[in-house]
Amino acid sequence: MTILLTGSSRGIGAAIHDALTAAGHSVIGHGTASGIPADFDEPGAAPALWREALNRADGAIDVLVNNAGVFEATPLDDPDWLAGWERTMRINLTAAAELCRLAVLHWQERGVTTGFKGGRIVNVASRAAYRGDSPAHWHYAASKAGMVAMTKTIARGYAAQGILAFAVCPGFTMTGMADDYLTSRGGDTLLADIPLGRVAMPDEVAAAVRFLALDAPPSMTGAVLDVNGASYVR
């Protein structure tokens, strides 16, 4: 099985890469030394990544995992607030949407030409999709909520063709990005809001992604798995 994984260079993405390769599958990474470079803030970057991934995969990708994203503060009084909003949306949501579209079209075409039916999408969203985020992160929360809604739409629209879509919503995860945020928000106070008493580890999020990408039964399509230590329970 060939899997395209975005944002595979560190943190959650690196853990996902390790989990999927340990399961014996071929993973085409993005942003790593051996992966495909692509700056999702640039127009055309996502389609170019898809084309190169297809080339490396000899024309067949079976699973798409959208993990790439940014978490950048943009306070309301920032004169560049709109630029921050648009950058976050382009990287977190628009690039993922472009790749999802290309994946669905790819699997539909494979179904016609080879009889191969289906494919899987796993989108790494965030607890913020449901709970919201800080006043400086409207854009982040909105981008992740959009990712969840997009996932559910894909699941409903293409299940009959064997095209399955899932999402994972981590809470705070012990990556460099999360470390900086925990420190800036007072660490212990923030942790007090997590009943488990700690943030998630990257390998815990990766375990959820691995299950959805490889083993989740088709009837689970459209499911969103929370990995947040019960800090937000739906």
Side-chain angles (χ1 to χ4, degrees), residues 137-154:
H137 293 90
W138 288 16
H139 47 4
Y140 180 79
S143 70
K144 295 303 187 177
M147 179 176 272
V148 169
M150 177 177 69
T151 302
K152 293 180 178 182
T153 301
I154 293 168

PDB file of all heavy atoms in Angstrom, residues 137-154:
ATOM      1  N   HIS A 137      -6.366  32.977  17.775  1.00  0.00           N
ATOM      2  CA  HIS A 137      -6.345  31.831  16.861  1.00  0.00           C
ATOM      3  C   HIS A 137      -7.703  31.538  16.244  1.00  0.00           C
ATOM      4  O   HIS A 137      -8.081  30.379  16.059  1.00  0.00           O
ATOM      5  CB  HIS A 137      -5.810  30.588  17.590  1.00  0.00           C
ATOM      6  CG  HIS A 137      -4.368  30.682  17.966  1.00  0.00           C
ATOM      7  ND1 HIS A 137      -3.944  31.201  19.176  1.00  0.00           N
ATOM      8  CD2 HIS A 137      -3.228  30.361  17.284  1.00  0.00           C
ATOM      9  CE1 HIS A 137      -2.615  31.172  19.229  1.00  0.00           C
ATOM     10  NE2 HIS A 137      -2.164  30.672  18.095  1.00  0.00           N
ATOM     11  N   TRP A 138      -8.449  32.579  15.919  1.00  0.00           N
ATOM     12  CA  TRP A 138      -9.714  32.376  15.192  1.00  0.00           C
ATOM     13  C   TRP A 138      -9.479  31.531  13.948  1.00  0.00           C
ATOM     14  O   TRP A 138     -10.243  30.625  13.629  1.00  0.00           O
ATOM     15  CB  TRP A 138     -10.283  33.719  14.742  1.00  0.00           C
ATOM     16  CG  TRP A 138     -10.847  34.613  15.774  1.00  0.00           C
ATOM     17  CD1 TRP A 138     -10.682  34.561  17.127  1.00  0.00           C
ATOM     18  CD2 TRP A 138     -11.690  35.738  15.512  1.00  0.00           C
ATOM     19  NE1 TRP A 138     -11.356  35.585  17.718  1.00  0.00           N
ATOM     20  CE2 TRP A 138     -11.987  36.334  16.762  1.00  0.00           C
ATOM     21  CE3 TRP A 138     -12.209  36.310  14.355  1.00  0.00           C
ATOM     22  CZ2 TRP A 138     -12.783  37.463  16.878  1.00  0.00           C
ATOM     23  CZ3 TRP A 138     -13.005  37.431  14.464  1.00  0.00           C
ATOM     24  CH2 TRP A 138     -13.296  37.999  15.713  1.00  0.00           C
ATOM     25  N   HIS A 139      -8.448  31.919  13.201  1.00  0.00           N
ATOM     26  CA  HIS A 139      -8.172  31.285  11.904  1.00  0.00           C
ATOM     27  C   HIS A 139      -7.848  29.809  12.061  1.00  0.00           C
ATOM     28  O   HIS A 139      -8.291  28.979  11.263  1.00  0.00           O
ATOM     29  CB  HIS A 139      -7.039  32.011  11.177  1.00  0.00           C
ATOM     30  CG  HIS A 139      -5.817  32.308  12.021  1.00  0.00           C
ATOM     31  ND1 HIS A 139      -5.667  31.900  13.327  1.00  0.00           N
ATOM     32  CD2 HIS A 139      -4.672  32.986  11.715  1.00  0.00           C
ATOM     33  CE1 HIS A 139      -4.497  32.323  13.794  1.00  0.00           C
ATOM     34  NE2 HIS A 139      -3.875  32.973  12.824  1.00  0.00           N
ATOM     35  N   TYR A 140      -7.091  29.472  13.092  1.00  0.00           N
ATOM     36  CA  TYR A 140      -6.730  28.074  13.312  1.00  0.00           C
ATOM     37  C   TYR A 140      -7.977  27.236  13.591  1.00  0.00           C
ATOM     38  O   TYR A 140      -8.185  26.185  12.984  1.00  0.00           O
ATOM     39  CB  TYR A 140      -5.741  27.967  14.471  1.00  0.00           C
ATOM     40  CG  TYR A 140      -5.315  26.546  14.759  1.00  0.00           C
ATOM     41  CD1 TYR A 140      -4.360  25.917  13.968  1.00  0.00           C
ATOM     42  CD2 TYR A 140      -5.888  25.824  15.807  1.00  0.00           C
ATOM     43  CE1 TYR A 140      -3.972  24.606  14.218  1.00  0.00           C
ATOM     44  CE2 TYR A 140      -5.516  24.519  16.063  1.00  0.00           C
ATOM     45  CZ  TYR A 140      -4.555  23.912  15.270  1.00  0.00           C
ATOM     46  OH  TYR A 140      -4.187  22.616  15.510  1.00  0.00           O
ATOM     47  N   ALA A 141      -8.808  27.701  14.511  1.00  0.00           N
ATOM     48  CA  ALA A 141     -10.028  26.965  14.846  1.00  0.00           C
ATOM     49  C   ALA A 141     -10.933  26.820  13.631  1.00  0.00           C
ATOM     50  O   ALA A 141     -11.490  25.744  13.370  1.00  0.00           O
ATOM     51  CB  ALA A 141     -10.769  27.660  15.987  1.00  0.00           C
ATOM     52  N   ALA A 142     -11.083  27.901  12.875  1.00  0.00           N
ATOM     53  CA  ALA A 142     -11.950  27.862  11.689  1.00  0.00           C
ATOM     54  C   ALA A 142     -11.404  26.902  10.641  1.00  0.00           C
ATOM     55  O   ALA A 142     -12.164  26.163   9.996  1.00  0.00           O
ATOM     56  CB  ALA A 142     -12.098  29.263  11.102  1.00  0.00           C
ATOM     57  N   SER A 143     -10.090  26.880  10.459  1.00  0.00           N
ATOM     58  CA  SER A 143      -9.505  25.985   9.451  1.00  0.00           C
ATOM     59  C   SER A 143      -9.718  24.523   9.833  1.00  0.00           C
ATOM     60  O   SER A 143     -10.004  23.683   8.970  1.00  0.00           O
ATOM     61  CB  SER A 143      -8.011  26.279   9.274  1.00  0.00           C
ATOM     62  OG  SER A 143      -7.249  25.894  10.413  1.00  0.00           O
ATOM     63  N   LYS A 144      -9.617  24.209  11.111  1.00  0.00           N
ATOM     64  CA  LYS A 144      -9.780  22.821  11.538  1.00  0.00           C
ATOM     65  C   LYS A 144     -11.252  22.404  11.539  1.00  0.00           C
ATOM     66  O   LYS A 144     -11.574  21.242  11.239  1.00  0.00           O
ATOM     67  CB  LYS A 144      -9.156  22.623  12.921  1.00  0.00           C
ATOM     68  CG  LYS A 144      -7.638  22.815  12.933  1.00  0.00           C
ATOM     69  CD  LYS A 144      -6.935  21.869  11.947  1.00  0.00           C
ATOM     70  CE  LYS A 144      -5.415  21.933  12.061  1.00  0.00           C
ATOM     71  NZ  LYS A 144      -4.743  20.969  11.172  1.00  0.00           N
ATOM     72  N   ALA A 145     -12.138  23.343  11.852  1.00  0.00           N
ATOM     73  CA  ALA A 145     -13.568  23.038  11.739  1.00  0.00           C
ATOM     74  C   ALA A 145     -13.936  22.773  10.284  1.00  0.00           C
ATOM     75  O   ALA A 145     -14.725  21.863   9.984  1.00  0.00           O
ATOM     76  CB  ALA A 145     -14.399  24.196  12.287  1.00  0.00           C
ATOM     77  N   GLY A 146     -13.360  23.550   9.385  1.00  0.00           N
ATOM     78  CA  GLY A 146     -13.582  23.318   7.964  1.00  0.00           C
ATOM     79  C   GLY A 146     -13.071  21.961   7.527  1.00  0.00           C
ATOM     80  O   GLY A 146     -13.693  21.272   6.711  1.00  0.00           O
ATOM     81  N   MET A 147     -11.939  21.537   8.069  1.00  0.00           N
ATOM     82  CA  MET A 147     -11.379  20.233   7.719  1.00  0.00           C
ATOM     83  C   MET A 147     -12.317  19.106   8.161  1.00  0.00           C
ATOM     84  O   MET A 147     -12.534  18.135   7.414  1.00  0.00           O
ATOM     85  CB  MET A 147     -10.000  20.072   8.354  1.00  0.00           C
ATOM     86  CG  MET A 147      -9.340  18.745   8.077  1.00  0.00           C
ATOM     87  SD  MET A 147      -7.656  18.652   8.745  1.00  0.00           S
ATOM     88  CE  MET A 147      -6.719  19.320   7.370  1.00  0.00           C
ATOM     89  N   VAL A 148     -12.891  19.236   9.359  1.00  0.00           N
ATOM     90  CA  VAL A 148     -13.825  18.207   9.833  1.00  0.00           C
ATOM     91  C   VAL A 148     -15.068  18.163   8.950  1.00  0.00           C
ATOM     92  O   VAL A 148     -15.529  17.081   8.551  1.00  0.00           O
ATOM     93  CB  VAL A 148     -14.201  18.458  11.306  1.00  0.00           C
ATOM     94  CG1 VAL A 148     -15.367  17.575  11.732  1.00  0.00           C
ATOM     95  CG2 VAL A 148     -12.996  18.208  12.214  1.00  0.00           C
ATOM     96  N   ALA A 149     -15.627  19.321   8.630  1.00  0.00           N
ATOM     97  CA  ALA A 149     -16.822  19.359   7.777  1.00  0.00           C
ATOM     98  C   ALA A 149     -16.525  18.795   6.395  1.00  0.00           C
ATOM     99  O   ALA A 149     -17.357  18.076   5.817  1.00  0.00           O
ATOM    100  CB  ALA A 149     -17.336  20.791   7.670  1.00  0.00           C
ATOM    101  N   MET A 150     -15.359  19.096   5.865  1.00  0.00           N
ATOM    102  CA  MET A 150     -14.963  18.557   4.572  1.00  0.00           C
ATOM    103  C   MET A 150     -14.851  17.030   4.629  1.00  0.00           C
ATOM    104  O   MET A 150     -15.310  16.324   3.720  1.00  0.00           O
ATOM    105  CB  MET A 150     -13.623  19.160   4.144  1.00  0.00           C
ATOM    106  CG  MET A 150     -13.064  18.613   2.848  1.00  0.00           C
ATOM    107  SD  MET A 150     -11.529  19.439   2.357  1.00  0.00           S
ATOM    108  CE  MET A 150     -10.393  18.862   3.629  1.00  0.00           C
ATOM    109  N   THR A 151     -14.271  16.516   5.696  1.00  0.00           N
ATOM    110  CA  THR A 151     -14.123  15.069   5.867  1.00  0.00           C
ATOM    111  C   THR A 151     -15.479  14.384   5.844  1.00  0.00           C
ATOM    112  O   THR A 151     -15.672  13.359   5.168  1.00  0.00           O
ATOM    113  CB  THR A 151     -13.399  14.761   7.185  1.00  0.00           C
ATOM    114  OG1 THR A 151     -12.120  15.403   7.188  1.00  0.00           O
ATOM    115  CG2 THR A 151     -13.227  13.270   7.385  1.00  0.00           C
ATOM    116  N   LYS A 152     -16.413  14.924   6.594  1.00  0.00           N
ATOM    117  CA  LYS A 152     -17.747  14.320   6.661  1.00  0.00           C
ATOM    118  C   LYS A 152     -18.448  14.387   5.304  1.00  0.00           C
ATOM    119  O   LYS A 152     -19.155  13.452   4.910  1.00  0.00           O
ATOM    120  CB  LYS A 152     -18.580  15.028   7.727  1.00  0.00           C
ATOM    121  CG  LYS A 152     -18.049  14.794   9.137  1.00  0.00           C
ATOM    122  CD  LYS A 152     -18.900  15.512  10.171  1.00  0.00           C
ATOM    123  CE  LYS A 152     -18.405  15.226  11.585  1.00  0.00           C
ATOM    124  NZ  LYS A 152     -19.242  15.884  12.616  1.00  0.00           N
ATOM    125  N   THR A 153     -18.246  15.471   4.582  1.00  0.00           N
ATOM    126  CA  THR A 153     -18.849  15.628   3.260  1.00  0.00           C
ATOM    127  C   THR A 153     -18.299  14.597   2.286  1.00  0.00           C
ATOM    128  O   THR A 153     -19.049  13.977   1.513  1.00  0.00           O
ATOM    129  CB  THR A 153     -18.608  17.048   2.729  1.00  0.00           C
ATOM    130  OG1 THR A 153     -19.186  17.993   3.649  1.00  0.00           O
ATOM    131  CG2 THR A 153     -19.232  17.241   1.361  1.00  0.00           C
ATOM    132  N   ILE A 154     -16.991  14.394   2.313  1.00  0.00           N
ATOM    133  CA  ILE A 154     -16.366  13.380   1.453  1.00  0.00           C
ATOM    134  C   ILE A 154     -16.899  11.994   1.808  1.00  0.00           C
ATOM    135  O   ILE A 154     -17.228  11.190   0.925  1.00  0.00           O
ATOM    136  CB  ILE A 154     -14.830  13.440   1.580  1.00  0.00           C
ATOM    137  CG1 ILE A 154     -14.302  14.753   0.998  1.00  0.00           C
ATOM    138  CG2 ILE A 154     -14.181  12.251   0.870  1.00  0.00           C
ATOM    139  CD1 ILE A 154     -12.846  15.038   1.332  1.00  0.00           C
TER     140      ILE A 154
END
